[in-house]
Amino acid sequence: MDALFDAVGDLDTVVCCAANGPLVDLNSGTDEEMATGTRGKPLGQVALAGRAVQHLRDGGSITLTGGTFAAPLPGGSPGALINFGLEGFVRNAASELPRGLRVERSERDGGAPEVTA
């Protein structure tokens, strides 16, 4: 990430659409399987957001993507944890950003995009 930001210079907007992790059954999944999605999506997006702050022009924005399943899904509990955790991160991070920067979470569930800032 650092090399990318160094190469592109100052930006107005950073958008991250990242996800990684299997559907894991709560009753039989291992700790490692549960942790895989956590490392990939929210921690990756949080790391990107932290680095983006240093490369955004005043008033710039960071958009992180998340989503929820339309209905409970077998193996979807870790995904629900990840996406609602990302929503909480965005709500708190918005109050910490300097220079008029904004952070938002965009969700797409088959309907119109929903943004939480």
Side-chain angles (χ1 to χ4, degrees):
M1 280 189 273
D2 294 326
L4 172 66
F5 280 121
D6 288 343
V8 298
D10 290 341
L11 301 166
D12 293 315
T13 303
V14 171
V15 178
C16 182
C17 180
N20 181 28
L23 294 174
V24 179
D25 183 77
L26 185 61
N27 297 315
S28 61
T30 67
D31 291 345
E32 184 56 32
E33 288 172 320
M34 297 288 183
T36 296
T38 303
R39 284 191 302 269
K41 184 170 184 167
L43 294 181
Q45 289 199 33
V46 167
L48 177 77
R51 287 173 172 85
V53 168
Q54 306 306 315
H55 297 277
L56 286 169
R57 293 181 185 96
D58 291 356
S61 68
I62 302 164
T63 300
L64 306 178
T65 58
T68 56
F69 302 113
L73 176 70
S77 296
L81 170 69
I82 289 164
N83 286 306
F84 284 107
L86 189 60
E87 180 178 342
F89 168 77
V90 166
R91 289 181 187 272
N92 197 81
S95 69
E96 298 178 18
L97 293 176
R99 307 184 335 271
L101 299 179
R102 301 175 317 280
V103 61
E104 57 194 15
R105 184 181 69 99
S106 177
E107 178 177 318
R108 181 104 177 145
D109 64 0
E114 174 186 320
V115 177
T116 304

